[in-house]
């Protein structure tokens, strides 16, 4: 065998995802546990947290958060936060997600559930969507158990005041949960989901929107990133019009007749997905869905967990509080 033949057999990188995930020509994958964002932890002990194994088969954990001392004597509502990462990166342990959940628990006076899910390309879609559903089924199991997790007793949390939120890929998962569970979430009894919060949801499509086509290459989520995430996470051979990616694609089931619980959608106006997300809201609103759209000026993709400026963080938290109050009043 010649030296040239030896050289051609050496695996080389075919996809490099933010320096945290490399896919090689021979199909092997190298991952780093290093977070994408270099953000320090902000844990002042005002919120307690605990990791729980919810899916032993796939070794998936979730992180629970609750205020160390509640400002109210009532049961804590339950609020899911599903992290982002283009279905390829991310963990509930990453500092930006952890900090955000600490603040959510303190500000909302709620028990926060922050689950992990299987990542691509090792586990392509629909794995992450199914894992999102499994976390809600896990909560239902806790609600009916004679021996639930000590943080999820009927005396401590209100299983009839549950909210599901997600950022980026997590927002996509939250959308599919809203559709699958439909209004009232009757299949989840005694768990009742009151509403969904989608921040910068990661949707796609084969045809570019204007904000995607004209978005600057230096954006946190640029067109190169978007295309790479879909290449790595979609079932092999599928396009970005896949129903799990494009809610209005040619093969996607119509949402017109689907009864949905209230949805809050938050987006930064500098997000390349901005036009696609606005179109999502417009279509659902035209079909009579209870959906609210809030746009943050000057903000990019995933600003909800990355922007630590007090003014932005306080405004986004107040919008969520107002949405929760509205849903609880119905």
């Amino acid at each position: 065998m010649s030296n040239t033949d030896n050289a051609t057999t050496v695996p080389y990188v075919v996809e490099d995802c933010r320096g945290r995930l490399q896919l090689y020509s021979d199909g092997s994958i190298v991952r780093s546990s290093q977070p994408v964002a270099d953000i320090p932890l902000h844990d002042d002990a005002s919120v307690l947290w605990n990791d729980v194994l919810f899916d032993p088969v796939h070794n998936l954990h979730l992180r629970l958060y609750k205020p160390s001392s509640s400002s109210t004597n009532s049961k804590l509502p339950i609020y899911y936060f599903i992290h982002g990462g283009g279905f390829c990166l991310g963990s509930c342990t990453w500092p930006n997600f952890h900090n955000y959940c600490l603040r959510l628990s303190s500000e909302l006076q709620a028990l926060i559930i922050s689950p992990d899910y299987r990542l691509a390309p090792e586990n392509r879609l629909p794995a992450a969507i199914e894992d999102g559903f499994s976390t809600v089924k896990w909560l239902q199991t806790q609600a009916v158990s004679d021996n639930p997790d000590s943080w999820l007793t009927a005396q401590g949390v209100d299983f009839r005041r549950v909210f599901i939120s997600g950022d980026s890929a997590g927002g996509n998962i939250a959308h599919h949960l809203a559709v699958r569970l439909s209004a009232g979430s009757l299949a989840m009894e005694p768990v009742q989901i009151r509403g969904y919060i989608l921040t910068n949801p990661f949707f796609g499509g084969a045809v570019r929107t204007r904000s995607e086509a004209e978005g600057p290459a230096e954006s946190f989520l640029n067109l190169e990133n978007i295309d790479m995430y879909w290449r790595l996470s979609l079932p092999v051979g599928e396009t970005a019009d896949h129903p799990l990616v494009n809610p209005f694609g040619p093969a996607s089931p119509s949402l017109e007749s689907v009864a949905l619980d209230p949805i809050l959608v938050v987006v930064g106006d500098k997000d390349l997905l901005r036009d696609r997300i606005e179109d999502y809201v417009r279509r659902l609103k035209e079909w009579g869905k209870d959906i609210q759209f809030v746009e943050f000026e000057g903000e990019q993709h995933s600003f909800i967990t990355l922007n630590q400026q007090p003014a932005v963080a306080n405004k986004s938290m107040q919008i969520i509080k107002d949405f929760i109050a509205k849903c609880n009043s119905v």
Side-chain angles (χ1 to χ4, degrees), residues 59-100:
N59 192 34
L60 291 174
H61 293 75
L62 53 78
R63 183 164 286 186
L64 301 175
Y65 300 80
K66 67 177 180 179
S68 57
S69 59
S70 178
S71 61
T72 173
N73 292 323
S74 60
K75 297 179 182 181
L76 296 176
I78 297 170
Y79 188 99
Y80 276 83
F81 173 74
I82 307 172
H83 71 75
F87 293 110
C88 299
L89 301 173
S91 165
C92 64
T93 65
W94 280 14
N96 55 314
F97 302 136
H98 182 70
N99 290 342
Y100 184 62

Side-chain angles (χ1 to χ4, degrees), residues 20-213:
R20 304 300 189 267
L21 165 67
Q22 286 83 34
L23 174 64
Y24 284 80
S25 56
D26 63 353
S28 61
I29 295 168
V30 175
R31 281 189 176 274
S32 167
S33 60
Q34 186 72 19
V36 170
D38 184 17
I39 294 177
L41 287 171
H42 300 295
D43 190 341
D44 61 4
S46 63
V47 171
L48 307 175
W49 57 272
N50 185 42
D51 290 337
V52 177
L53 177 68
F54 77 90
D55 183 347
V57 173
H58 299 113
N59 192 34
L60 291 174
H61 293 75
L62 53 78
R63 183 164 286 186
L64 301 175
Y65 300 80
K66 67 177 180 179
S68 57
S69 59
S70 178
S71 61
T72 173
N73 292 323
S74 60
K75 297 179 182 181
L76 296 176
I78 297 170
Y79 188 99
Y80 276 83
F81 173 74
I82 307 172
H83 71 75
F87 293 110
C88 299
L89 301 173
S91 165
C92 64
T93 65
W94 280 14
N96 55 314
F97 302 136
H98 182 70
N99 290 342
Y100 184 62
C101 288
L102 289 171
R103 178 158 188 176
L104 281 171
S105 184
S106 177
E107 293 272 355
L108 303 181
Q109 287 293 289
L111 182 126
I112 309 300
I113 300 177
S114 179
D116 273 339
Y117 48 86
R118 284 172 288 169
L119 299 176
E122 300 95 324
N123 302 280
R124 291 175 177 265
L125 293 171
I129 309 294
E130 292 303 319
D131 293 339
F133 180 71
S134 294
T135 67
V136 185
K137 288 294 291 182
W138 174 84
L139 182 64
Q140 183 185 39
T141 300
Q142 297 296 314
V144 299
S145 174
D146 293 330
N147 186 31
D149 185 281
S150 61
W151 286 30
L152 288 162
T153 63
Q155 294 74 35
V157 296
D158 190 345
F159 290 105
R160 305 201 71 77
R161 285 194 296 152
V162 179
F163 294 85
I164 295 180
S165 79
D167 183 54
S168 189
N172 178 303
I173 294 172
H175 158 77
H176 287 289
L177 287 174
V179 173
R180 182 169 181 172
L181 299 177
S182 70
S185 53
L186 297 179
M188 289 292 115
E189 284 287 343
V191 171
Q192 182 180 354
I193 298 162
R194 296 295 188 96
Y196 296 82
I197 300 92
L198 282 55
T199 60
N200 303 282
F202 189 41
F203 297 133
V207 178
R208 307 285 196 204
T209 65
R210 180 174 179 178
S211 61
E212 289 168 349

